[in-house]
Amino acid sequence: MSTHIHTIGLLFSHAPDRQLLVDFLVEGGYRVRAPRLNRVQPEHWDDVSLILADEVAAWRYREVLLGLKNRSEAIFLPLLVATSPTTPVAPWLEAGFDDVIRLPVSKAELHTRLSTFLRLREQSLELARRSEEMFRALVEQSLVGVYLFTDRFLYVNEALARIFGYRPEEVMERLTPLDLTHPDDHPLVMERVRKRLSGEVEAERYTLRGVRKDGSTIYCEVFGRRITYQGQPAILGTLIDITDRVQASIRQAQLQEALQRQAAELEQRVAERTADLEEFVYSVSHDLRAPLRAMQGFAQVLLEDYADHLDAMGQEYARRIVEAGERMDTLIQDLLTYSRLNQVEIHVTRVDLRRVVQEALAQLQEESPARNARVTIEEPLPVVLAHYTTLLQVVLNLLSNACKFVAP
């Protein structure tokens, strides 16, 4: 038998019955609360282990008694109602009461009933105590902040207090959730808390800015779920410090912005240099080709009109001038062609590679018919995705280089 002295609350409208029960319970070693009905405040009976009421009182205070019973989901508070022999039992049990005692009742039966329910309460207290010990052992060792609050903190673990630079007792004794929240985030937190306490949502995860004891700002990720604690809605949740992650993200964003800025500056410099190159190419086209053609023309005139005035060595030199001029003209033409490729918008389409090769061979034959090159094509050639003009120039350059630099 437990040595704990239980307190039993009596709610009886008939004074003689109330006094008989008080005498019996005191004789049995119980403490008793048995006020008159017009003075009773059962909502404040936090120290009561069991409540026994007659039908009048049970009906009158039914909502209050059931609210007191449901204040804790873990600790069992027995509610018993004493009725006349003819009163149906089921309605009381369906209403939430735990047992119905029909009057009159013997002392032995009443003692047995009370003892049984008080033992159930003791067992629930022991289970709740063990559960709380397990809960505390778990959360006190956790690296994650754990909290329980309504309008104030009811519990915080060591990790949460450490994140904000406090001791747990400092937080629970004098701080509210808003005291740990950056002022700019107060509306966010107040709305999220309101929705959960009102039952609009069961749980939420979000980020907020917190304020440490030293006044510094940290970034936090919180998850909280609505629960019922001692009959009242409360929020139980976890909190982690994500300041390092957020700052790393900010640094990464700053780095990305710097890279984009540098890329834009580089693109601008490339555009400027491209403009310089275009100007240079224009100069090559108009300033270099004119004297080059003049040189080629005069050398060709020497060969055609004055060959009989030149010895073999002079004629060879003139031919070399003409050939060198042709090669130089080809280089200039290639440079102009390459520069134009950068100014043309590239549209990729399906291109028949066989057609490209045939056209390149035709151009090569027109430009250098004397080369007498033999080109072998292994067919079939595929259809590819490419820009036709660019691909044609690439193939033409490859074939031209092969003819120039591959020994016959």
Side-chain angles (χ1 to χ4, degrees), residues 297-399:
F298 284 124
Q300 191 67 39
V301 168
L302 285 175
L303 288 174
E304 294 177 356
D305 297 338
Y306 297 94
D308 54 345
H309 296 287
L310 299 174
D311 59 11
M313 183 64 69
Q315 294 180 20
E316 177 64 21
Y317 287 158
R319 279 194 296 273
R320 289 188 180 184
I321 292 173
V322 172
E323 292 175 356
E326 290 176 351
R327 288 196 297 272
M328 187 64 181
D329 186 66
T330 300
L331 290 174
I332 294 174
Q333 184 62 40
D334 288 344
L335 179 61
L336 291 172
T337 302
Y338 179 76
S339 68
R340 284 195 294 269
L341 289 177
N342 295 330
Q343 303 172 11
V344 177
E345 185 176 358
I346 302 298
H347 293 288
V348 177
T349 59
R350 293 172 61 85
V351 176
D352 186 348
L353 189 56
R354 183 173 182 275
R355 176 188 168 195
V356 171
V357 172
Q358 289 177 343
E359 184 171 343
L361 288 174
Q363 290 188 22
L364 187 64
Q365 183 63 28
E366 291 176 2
E367 294 175 3
S368 304
R371 287 177 178 171
N372 197 27
R374 182 168 59 87
V375 179
T376 303
I377 303 174
E378 294 186 3
E379 297 194 27
L381 295 178
V383 174
V384 298
L385 291 176
H387 179 249
Y388 185 89
T389 304
T390 304
L391 182 58
L392 174 61
Q393 187 64 45
V394 169
V395 173
L396 181 60
N397 290 344
L398 289 173
L399 292 174

Side-chain angles (χ1 to χ4, degrees), residues 49-343:
S49 301
L50 180 148
I51 296 177
L52 176 61
D54 64 10
E55 292 184 77
V56 173
W59 181 256
R60 180 175 177 178
Y61 293 103
R62 179 168 57 99
E63 296 298 329
V64 176
L65 295 178
L66 293 176
L68 190 62
K69 177 181 179 62
N70 295 327
R71 185 172 295 178
S72 172
E73 296 180 354
I75 300 175
F76 175 50
L77 175 63
L79 294 182
L80 282 65
V81 59
T83 69
S84 65
T86 59
T87 300
V89 173
W92 289 106
L93 298 180
E94 292 171 357
F97 287 80
D98 299 298
D99 196 11
V100 174
I101 298 176
R102 293 183 179 276
L103 299 178
V105 61
S106 66
K107 291 183 177 181
E109 181 182 352
L110 181 59
H111 175 74
T112 300
R113 296 277 193 95
L114 296 179
S115 297
T116 298
F117 281 102
L118 290 173
R119 280 197 299 272
L120 290 174
R121 177 175 172 81
E122 288 180 354
Q123 291 173 2
S124 71
L125 286 168
E126 178 63 18
L127 289 174
R129 183 187 64 79
R130 292 181 182 179
S131 297
E132 183 175 357
E133 289 178 354
M134 293 177 63
F135 172 78
R136 288 185 178 275
L138 177 64
V139 300
E140 291 302 334
Q141 299 178 40
S142 173
L143 299 177
V144 175
V146 179
Y147 59 84
L148 172 67
F149 71 83
T150 51
D151 57 341
R152 62 181 181 84
F153 283 108
L154 304 175
Y155 171 79
V156 298
N157 69 343
E158 182 71 30
L160 186 138
R162 185 170 56 251
I163 288 173
F164 288 92
Y166 292 94
R167 298 190 308 276
E169 55 270 22
E170 289 183 284
V171 178
M172 290 185 284
E173 287 173 2
R174 57 188 179 87
L175 297 180
T176 68
L178 290 182
D179 293 325
L180 301 181
T181 304
H182 191 281
D184 291 346
D185 287 347
H186 281 186
L188 166 71
V189 173
M190 292 171 63
E191 179 63 12
R192 298 296 181 97
V193 170
R194 183 196 66 78
K195 285 184 176 180
R196 281 172 290 175
L197 291 180
S198 66
E200 290 183 36
V201 296
E202 285 296 315
E204 281 198 294
R205 182 189 304 275
Y206 59 100
T207 59
L208 58 86
R209 287 168 293 177
V211 179
R212 288 174 49 86
K213 187 177 182 179
D214 61 10
S216 60
T217 298
I218 60 175
Y219 292 87
C220 305
E221 181 178 302
V222 295
F223 174 79
R225 179 176 295 278
R226 183 183 190 273
I227 66 168
T228 300
Y229 179 77
Q230 295 184 349
Q232 302 295 324
I235 297 176
L236 175 67
T238 58
L239 178 147
I240 58 175
D241 184 352
I242 60 170
T243 303
D244 290 343
R245 188 203 312 171
V246 171
Q247 291 178 344
S249 177
I250 292 175
R251 288 194 296 270
Q252 183 178 5
Q254 292 172 342
L255 178 60
Q256 182 68 22
E257 182 180 353
L259 289 174
Q260 291 176 348
R261 186 168 57 251
Q262 292 175 2
E265 293 174 356
L266 179 60
E267 185 175 349
Q268 178 63 27
R269 289 199 296 270
V270 169
E272 292 172 356
R273 293 184 180 182
T274 301
D276 293 340
L277 177 60
E278 291 175 355
E279 184 178 349
F280 170 73
V281 169
Y282 180 84
S283 174
V284 168
S285 175
H286 292 80
D287 298 342
L288 294 183
R289 295 190 78 185
L292 177 62
R293 287 172 178 171
M295 180 185 70
Q296 287 179 280
F298 284 124
Q300 191 67 39
V301 168
L302 285 175
L303 288 174
E304 294 177 356
D305 297 338
Y306 297 94
D308 54 345
H309 296 287
L310 299 174
D311 59 11
M313 183 64 69
Q315 294 180 20
E316 177 64 21
Y317 287 158
R319 279 194 296 273
R320 289 188 180 184
I321 292 173
V322 172
E323 292 175 356
E326 290 176 351
R327 288 196 297 272
M328 187 64 181
D329 186 66
T330 300
L331 290 174
I332 294 174
Q333 184 62 40
D334 288 344
L335 179 61
L336 291 172
T337 302
Y338 179 76
S339 68
R340 284 195 294 269
L341 289 177
N342 295 330
Q343 303 172 11

